[in-house]
Amino acid sequence: MSNDHDHRTDRRRARLGRACAAGAVGLVAAGPALAAGELTAAFTGPGSSPVLAVGSAAIDLAPTWLKEYAIRSFGTHDKAALLAGIYTVAALLAVLSGLVSRRRPGLGTAVVALFGALGVWAAASRPTARAADALPSVAAGLADATALWFLSRSLRNATASAPALPVDPPGSPDPATTGPRRRTVLVATGATAGVAALGAAGGRHLADSRGDVGAARAAVRLPAPAVPARPLPAGVHPAVPGLTAFVTPTADLYRVDTALTLPAIDPRDWSLRIHGLVDHPVVLSFDDLLRQPLEELDLTLTCVSNEVGGRYAGTARWLGAPLPALLRRAGVRPGADQLVGRSRDGMTIGTPLESVLDGRRALLAVAVNGEPLPVAHGFPCRSLVPGLYGYTSATKWLVELEVTRFAAFDPYWVRRGWDRTGEVRTASRIEVPAPFARVPAGDVDLAGTAWATHRGVAAVEVRVDGGPWQQAGLAADGGPDLWRQWSHSWRGAIPGTHRIEVRATDAAGRTQSETRTLPFPSGSTGWHSTVVTVVR
Ligand SMILES: Nc1nc2c(c(=O)[nH]1)N[C@H]1C(S)=C(S)[C@@H](COP(=O)(O)O)O[C@H]1N2
Ligand SMILES: [Mo]
């Protein structure tokens, strides 16, 4: 091999080494940004942290297909997936800022400034934004720019201080990564990373402790209901192993919302304002709410994003103040047709007023299954309206109810093209046997759950391999606001692969349509089916 060739390889290696060092410097310089952002956000509110603000803006800007895709593929982990994506993009930009700073420090600063500006814009775009929400991103940008300037300068000095190739003998170590200057760079980089890690962890901790409403939640004393729920009839749940529980344990309730950080609301600082097209606007404190004649309501809540056979449905015993009575007290004016709930985090949810006032048991719920609402499910207060999907009825972290008109205001999901009524579609699913289960030949237990919330389920039918529909046995009826479980004995199943299908009919006599549609814009339709293998 020629000497010349060695030179070239060495030079290439040295260049690569320097590029890596510069990229690493950019990445490390983003550490103080993270720390400054978190520490500042501990005071301005967790939602204003640059990463979370950008994440929330991304959620609001995401097209419907992408949101549906995220809910479908990541389920309740959709937010973790989003944050992982944001951190990845941020890390790439940080590396880029280090690389360009090598030759053009000004350009590096520009990349950082762009990044800070993105955070400021995102924070300002939040529906609940205040001027102070820009501070964490500004602090992060300044910290990043300072660290980047300082670290790249020491890296440049280390590189420049050594004589350049090819004067060096072949194989001599790269000056940027050796010698006393190298130690300076390493120490500075390490110290920056260490301080940043401490700062970020400290900021997180501070934010968590400031936003912890666990104690306030534990201190809530729930009054006894003025109207207790009737006990559920015996036999609402067929004793088939593997079938969903009739009442969903609170920990298993599905969660769907746009909140990257859960609103932390101390009930002592909470109030609910009922205003708009009313004769007497009302403001209720949490104690005022608890002094209402509280009612218990057994209700199945479902999400419009639930796909055929999906798990975004749950049944619980809710406790709350009757909403129709409060609205009547406020005096709804003629012409009003929409009730808009606003949450502490700026979500708006619009409910047809006629649904709330037609006699159904709409609630301002404060408790579920005997406990104050979990923070993830709306503590301290959320609305519930039987028969409507969550996105048009179930505002969590509720702070405001505005009586208005559909013509006057489009709430969050309606602006994104979803149906403004949100009436729950009839749905049914097969839970037993599990998909692709292997079951012994002979009689096979089939079982599942169906709902047509507020209308009630009148019939469930199943069929095997496209054969004749057969009536499934319906378990005891808990009432129209609750799902209904079913079971059926499939007689004489013979070995092989079989397809089982289910469909339900609501109390109005309408049977689920076979046509498969996606959740957007008014809920999925189609028959759920499952494939099982019968073995000898
Ligand atoms: N503040 C707020 N309330 C919200 C939402 C939200 O994103 N933010 N999502 C709604 C949707 S789409 C559904 S299905 C229900 C889900 O309630 P859960 O998470 O308690 O099951 O909450 C509703 N209320
Ligand atoms: Mo939903």
Side-chain angles (χ1 to χ4, degrees):
M1 230 194 284
S2 78
N3 219 14
D4 217 33
H5 180 87
D6 282 352
H7 271 298
R8 241 177 295 139
T9 334
D10 281 338
R11 225 178 305 163
R12 214 174 297 140
R13 231 180 257 149
R15 223 180 293 142
L16 188 67
R18 280 197 295 269
C20 284
V25 154
L27 193 60
V28 169
L34 190 70
E38 293 291 335
L39 279 166
T40 315
F43 296 95
T44 54
S48 61
S49 113
V51 171
L52 294 179
V54 168
S56 301
I59 290 177
D60 287 353
L61 287 177
T64 300
W65 63 264
L66 185 58
K67 261 191 199 144
E68 287 300 291
Y69 168 81
I71 291 182
R72 196 163 55 238
S73 357
F74 304 111
T76 310
H77 302 298
D78 55 348
K79 295 177 185 79
L82 172 67
L83 288 179
I86 290 175
Y87 278 114
T88 308
V89 172
L92 290 174
L93 274 176
V95 168
L96 180 73
S97 74
L99 286 176
V100 300
S101 287
R102 229 163 15 131
R103 299 253 155 64
R104 317 213 7 218
L107 200 57
T109 313
V111 171
V112 169
L114 201 74
F115 208 40
L118 184 68
V120 169
W121 165 80
S125 79
R126 307 291 68 237
T128 54
R130 292 159 304 146
D133 292 347
L135 289 178
S137 293
V138 171
L142 290 177
D144 198 341
T146 310
L148 184 64
W149 178 81
F150 172 74
L151 290 176
S152 342
R153 195 191 52 165
S154 59
L155 184 65
R156 269 195 310 276
N157 287 345
T159 318
S161 66
L165 290 167
V167 180
D168 294 347
S172 71
D174 172 31
T177 49
T178 52
R181 298 275 187 155
R182 174 194 180 222
R183 255 192 307 281
T184 314
V185 177
L186 276 182
V187 167
T189 312
T192 306
V195 169
L198 276 179
R204 251 312 75 203
H205 181 77
L206 198 61
D208 286 348
S209 59
R210 284 172 64 99
D212 186 10
V213 289
R217 182 171 171 269
V220 170
R221 292 281 157 271
L222 293 171
V227 182
R230 271 181 297 144
L232 287 169
V236 287
H237 179 72
V240 179
L243 183 61
T244 312
F246 188 83
V247 176
T248 314
T250 307
D252 296 344
L253 289 171
Y254 78 90
R255 174 187 163 203
V256 170
D257 55 58
T258 61
L260 265 185
T261 46
L262 292 173
I265 306 174
D266 188 320
R268 282 165 298 195
D269 307 330
W270 178 89
S271 66
L272 175 68
R273 192 157 77 95
I274 305 177
H275 66 113
L277 297 174
V278 294
D279 294 329
H280 322 284
V282 181
V283 176
L284 293 169
S285 70
F286 194 64
D287 285 337
D288 293 337
L289 193 64
L290 294 188
R291 274 194 290 270
Q292 307 296 310
L294 300 189
E295 296 185 2
E296 270 178 346
L297 173 70
D298 290 336
L299 173 70
T300 299
L301 178 65
T302 56
C303 179
V304 68
S305 295
N306 192 57
E307 291 187 85
V308 172
R311 296 274 149 185
Y312 290 152
T315 292
R317 178 158 293 179
W318 306 89
L319 174 74
L323 177 55
L326 284 168
L327 288 179
R328 295 220 165 81
R329 213 208 295 162
V332 173
R333 293 207 174 135
D337 58 5
Q338 180 176 222
L339 180 65
V340 172
R342 281 199 179 76
S343 78
R344 175 62 64 85
D345 66 338
M347 171 56 67
T348 53
I349 283 182
T351 313
L353 249 183
E354 60 169 340
S355 310
V356 180
L357 297 174
D358 71 357
R360 68 186 84 190
R361 298 184 55 200
L363 284 190
L364 298 179
V366 295
V368 60
N369 294 336
E371 272 182 77
L373 296 177
V375 174
H377 295 288
F379 180 76
C381 176
R382 77 177 307 168
S383 56
L384 293 169
V385 183
L388 302 182
Y389 287 124
Y391 84 103
T392 55
S393 65
T395 317
K396 305 194 275 189
W397 314 293
L398 181 70
V399 293
E400 195 184 313
L401 281 170
E402 183 183 3
V403 177
T404 178
R405 290 178 304 120
F406 278 112
F409 183 77
D410 282 341
Y412 187 91
W413 299 105
V414 172
R415 249 178 280 153
R416 286 158 178 77
W418 293 83
D419 170 55
R420 68 185 195 186
T421 310
E423 189 177 311
V424 175
R425 291 185 187 272
T426 304
S428 56
R429 67 184 182 209
I430 302 159
E431 294 163 22
V432 182
F436 306 112
R438 297 168 73 79
V439 295
D443 295 348
V444 176
D445 280 338
L446 309 181
T449 306
W451 58 86
T453 325
H454 198 60
R455 301 185 300 283
V457 172
V460 171
E461 298 161 284
V462 290
R463 68 175 183 182
V464 177
D465 298 331
W469 287 103
Q470 303 177 47
Q471 293 291 332
L474 288 178
D477 189 0
D481 295 338
L482 290 167
W483 58 21
R484 190 123 186 228
Q485 297 197 294
W486 60 269
S487 59
H488 181 74
S489 182
W490 169 23
R491 305 254 175 226
I494 53 168
T497 300
H498 301 281
R499 177 186 207 79
I500 306 162
E501 288 168 291
V502 67
R503 66 179 189 190
T505 300
D506 70 10
R510 279 193 304 252
T511 302
Q512 281 181 265
S513 105
E514 180 179 10
T515 315
R516 281 262 185 160
T517 60
L518 289 173
F520 185 78
S522 54
S524 57
T525 66
W527 299 334
H528 185 219
S529 67
T530 195
V531 171
V532 298
T533 304
V534 174
V535 293
R536 248 173 239 299

